[in-house]
Amino acid sequence: MAAPMLRWCYLGRRWVLACIDGGSRHGRGAAIGFTSSRKRGQSSVAQQPLITAQKSRKGEHKWAAVVGLEIHAQISSNSKLFSGSQVHFAAPPNSLVSFFDASLPGTLPVLNRRCVEAAVMTGLALSCRINKKSLFDRKHYFYADLPAGYQITQQRLPIAVNGSLAYSVCAGKKPSQVITKTVRIKQIQLEQDSGKSLHDELRSQTLIDLNRAGVGLLEVVLEPDMSCGEEAATAVRELQLILQALGTSQANMAEGQLRVDANISVHHPGEPLGVRTEVKNLNSARFLAKAIDSEIERQIHELENGREILNETRSFDYKLGCTMPMRDKEGKQDYRFMPEPNLPPLLLYDTASLPPGADPQQVINIDWIRERLPELPSETREKLVQQYGMLPEHSFALLNEVGLLEFFQNVIKETRAEPKKVTSWVLNIFLGFLKQQNLAVNESPVTPAALAELLSLLDRKAISSSAAKQVFEELWRSKGKTPSQIVSEKRLELMQDEEALERVCHAVMEEHPQVVMDVKRGNSRAINKLIGLVLKATLSRADPTVIKEILEKKLSS
């Protein structure tokens, strides 16, 4: 096993000496804090950034950060891009490998129609211009997990170009202060994925799994129009939602279906752009934001201390919270791009250019795909705001959690409660319980029907709001019971006898004369304590609004 080495690492405003395992030095190995599912042999495409200012700290010169992204999304398809091998996550190693995937002599690529349709659909959703003629190229580099010694990609003429992606970021401390920004999309291209190199440090050996070799990828290149980690992470999350809505990619970052490379540089506004670094293989939005912000701070610190920024590839160590060097890029790698001789130009058509009598199974009609585009996340959010009167930030929250919007809509269908009440319960109570238990929406023990029944009981004032929370907690713990059964078993029905409630209020006031005096002296918060005491005395079976009315009446008399 390689000996550990010590390396200086920048954390926030200080440098620390970190012990790094020797295996992390291998440019082809899995970086610390990542799976080994990263994209191989990638070079940055985004080169000409816009200048965007980053807020400078007090006492420092103003710096501008420039961030561009290259995003690799695995296409949702039953088979690979150029072979009939199946695509399954976590299949036994080397169990999904065709002769072509293993690059055996004499094998030829056969283009997967589904992957082309997914690329066209994604390009249309991102307002790209779809090229009716696109070309495939060979990009040469040599690694054990790339059997052919080259990757089939689209360097010269990709399938889609010149699009845009709108995303919203918080402009202030309040969630409602949201502004919309747009990042330009340079291109979308089809390409093969590589296999995996699995490094066994104990035995000092590397194992190769070719299950992923040849899986279809969409590479989406975002122009460097962003200036911080938050913007980049939000843009990636929006793209993830779009891909999932289209069905072109599951975009599950935890399974390596969406991987991001970030190109980062800093400079003083008005001066030439700085030397950029590339942070590779970021597999979560949270780590993406942290990695970018950490790298920006590192570059500023280096420059302000008279050092130079190297044009290099780096990885992000989530444990240390900083980026680490992988390999330098000063000597530009020659990928020796050349046309793919075994694939003719990819020709697409629209309704106007479609050849007469063409077999629909043999051609791809761009207009046919355009007509079948599903509703995009931005349209869904706008509809939620208009239909239910919810705040924009609530519409974002419903879409950001997988399955939560469908859960919300199912509750709405089965209850007469106001949409605002349903929104509040779903986002505050239901989602809060999910996060406490670290559960996905589809793992929730509370069904939409159960929550709808509970909200209906609350809406017709059969129970109080505090009793409703007790019922929800019981629903979470006890599967099979309905809200009505729990209310009956625990005797949580709302008190309908107002005279009895008046007697309870009078008794509470008698027992707590000091709180009563505080209310009479003008302490408006003290009445809330009285309300809480009455609720406790009634086992939460009283309506807080009715309690407050009775208390105010008695206090004023």
Side-chain angles (χ1 to χ4, degrees), residues 86-98:
Q86 290 187 324
V87 177
H88 286 302
F89 178 72
N94 296 310
S95 61
L96 304 174
V97 185
S98 71

Side-chain angles (χ1 to χ4, degrees), residues 67 163-167 181-185 222-226 235:
V67 180
S164 62
L165 172 65
Y167 61 97
K181 294 191 173 186
T182 301
V183 56
R184 295 169 297 153
I185 295 173
L222 303 187
E223 296 279 19
D225 298 344
M226 295 159 285

Side-chain angles (χ1 to χ4, degrees), residues 150-198:
Y150 61 83
Q151 174 195 44
I152 300 179
T153 182
Q154 292 188 305
Q155 169 70 13
R156 293 170 295 161
L157 193 58
I159 196 166
V161 295
N162 300 335
S164 62
L165 172 65
Y167 61 97
S168 298
V169 292
C170 191
K173 294 183 179 180
K174 297 181 180 179
S176 58
Q177 295 177 318
V178 173
I179 60 173
T180 300
K181 294 191 173 186
T182 301
V183 56
R184 295 169 297 153
I185 295 173
K186 181 172 184 176
Q187 65 192 58
I188 299 174
Q189 61 196 50
L190 283 164
E191 62 185 29
Q192 296 172 297
D193 206 345
S194 62
K196 285 183 182 178
S197 293
L198 306 173

Side-chain angles (χ1 to χ4, degrees), residues 22-227:
S24 69
R25 300 178 63 183
H26 300 300
R28 301 293 298 159
I32 297 175
F34 295 97
T35 65
S36 59
S37 61
R38 69 164 152 263
K39 192 77 174 64
R40 305 302 197 229
Q42 302 268 329
S43 65
S44 174
V45 181
Q47 298 285 343
Q48 301 299 324
L50 291 180
I51 297 176
T52 52
Q54 175 170 311
K55 187 176 179 182
S56 58
R57 292 190 291 268
K58 186 175 180 182
E60 292 183 348
H61 295 295
K62 189 175 182 181
W63 289 95
V66 179
V67 180
L69 301 177
E70 297 169 24
I71 303 166
H72 307 95
Q74 181 180 312
I75 299 171
S76 291
S77 173
N78 293 328
S79 56
K80 297 183 181 181
L81 182 57
F82 297 118
S83 78
S85 297
Q86 290 187 324
V87 177
H88 286 302
F89 178 72
N94 296 310
S95 61
L96 304 174
V97 185
S98 71
F99 291 156
F100 177 80
D101 302 330
S103 194
L104 296 185
T107 55
L108 295 173
V110 178
L111 183 58
N112 183 337
R113 178 191 178 96
R114 160 62 186 161
C115 293
V116 177
E117 290 176 337
V120 173
M121 182 177 286
T122 303
L124 292 172
L126 296 173
S127 304
C128 292
R129 174 169 61 82
I130 306 299
N131 287 324
K132 292 182 182 178
K133 178 182 178 181
S134 58
L135 304 173
F136 288 97
D137 306 285
R138 289 185 179 183
K139 176 182 179 181
H140 293 82
Y141 55 96
F142 300 98
Y143 291 118
D145 53 18
L146 191 70
Y150 61 83
Q151 174 195 44
I152 300 179
T153 182
Q154 292 188 305
Q155 169 70 13
R156 293 170 295 161
L157 193 58
I159 196 166
V161 295
N162 300 335
S164 62
L165 172 65
Y167 61 97
S168 298
V169 292
C170 191
K173 294 183 179 180
K174 297 181 180 179
S176 58
Q177 295 177 318
V178 173
I179 60 173
T180 300
K181 294 191 173 186
T182 301
V183 56
R184 295 169 297 153
I185 295 173
K186 181 172 184 176
Q187 65 192 58
I188 299 174
Q189 61 196 50
L190 283 164
E191 62 185 29
Q192 296 172 297
D193 206 345
S194 62
K196 285 183 182 178
S197 293
L198 306 173
H199 302 300
D200 186 344
E201 298 289 351
L202 292 176
R203 297 176 177 83
S204 298
Q205 64 182 3
T206 296
L207 305 176
I208 304 299
D209 179 9
L210 294 180
N211 278 348
R212 202 179 63 186
V215 170
L217 294 179
L218 290 174
E219 179 174 359
V220 183
V221 181
L222 303 187
E223 296 279 19
D225 298 344
M226 295 159 285
S227 61

Side-chain angles (χ1 to χ4, degrees), residues 103 337 546:
S103 194
F337 285 101
V546 176

Side-chain angles (χ1 to χ4, degrees), residues 55 73 95 142 368 394 406 427 459 472:
K55 187 176 179 182
S95 61
F142 300 98
W368 186 88
H394 291 164
E406 184 181 359
L427 293 182
D459 183 61
F472 184 86

